[in-house]
Amino acid sequence: GENVEQHPSTLSVQEGDSAVIKCTYSDSASNYFPWYKQELGKRPQLIIDIRSNVGEKKDQRIAVTLNKTAKHFSLHITETQPEDSAVYFCAARLGYSTLTFGKGTMLLVSP
Amino acid sequence: DVKVTQSSRYLVKRTGEKVFLECVQDMDHENMFWYRQDPGLGLRLIYFSYDVKMKEKGDIPEGYSVSREKKERFSLILESASTNQTSMYLCAGGRAGETQYFGPGTRLLVL
């Protein structure tokens, strides 16, 4: 089955800096890659996703890039703010099967 | 707006008790999922369902069962709760090939 590895497990940045979280996946046929944000005590919420026919997708301060050859995808957050502090999960899916999640990255943005 | 609800936010049960966790979605989605979330382990899939009365084992089904008698409702059952089942349980729903939407979670403590 699919295997997703996520790095780093924790990330501390200063407000205004950029943050990058990276994930690698094992099955080259995986075709859907969502990112979820989970604030403390709340449910994971989708923040951005990308399909395998696209190399990059942006939504305001967040972007996701996909490198199918290397089988990795990354979340980029620019101009970080304290409210970006949360746990971020990447995931990958093969076809219509289930999502396989990474173990999460705790992002802390210090004012 | 998408809505997934779970019957309890917090539950305290005794070892050996039978525990029911209920999940309801109002999105008319075919797929429903049960995950458990533990620190450092991310989101692990327990069971999922692609249709009424249909169920499939996920990565960690041992000690759990599920029931899906109606499309909107997916129940997770702990036949005989044990202390190692103390965890956060997250339900999710989604259409085939699309993203998943999570419920608020049930934090279960087994004493």
Side-chain angles (χ1 to χ4, degrees), chain B residues 33 35 39 88:
Chain B
F33 308 84
Y35 295 89
M88 169 69 87

Side-chain angles (χ1 to χ4, degrees), chain B residues 40-86:
Chain B
L41 298 179
L43 294 161
R44 293 182 292 167
L45 182 64
I46 304 171
Y47 267 96
F48 60 101
S49 170
Y50 286 145
D51 203 350
V52 176
K53 296 196 185 291
M54 177 274 181
K55 59 185 178 183
E56 294 284 347
K57 292 180 180 179
D59 300 318
I60 52 163
E62 296 78 18
Y64 304 94
S65 62
V66 290
S67 172
R68 193 168 182 197
E69 296 296 317
K70 294 184 178 181
K71 190 174 186 179
E72 66 272 18
R73 189 178 298 269
F74 192 35
S75 301
L76 180 69
I77 303 155
L78 287 66
E79 295 289 342
S80 178
S82 63
T83 54
N84 63 11
Q85 292 178 309
T86 290

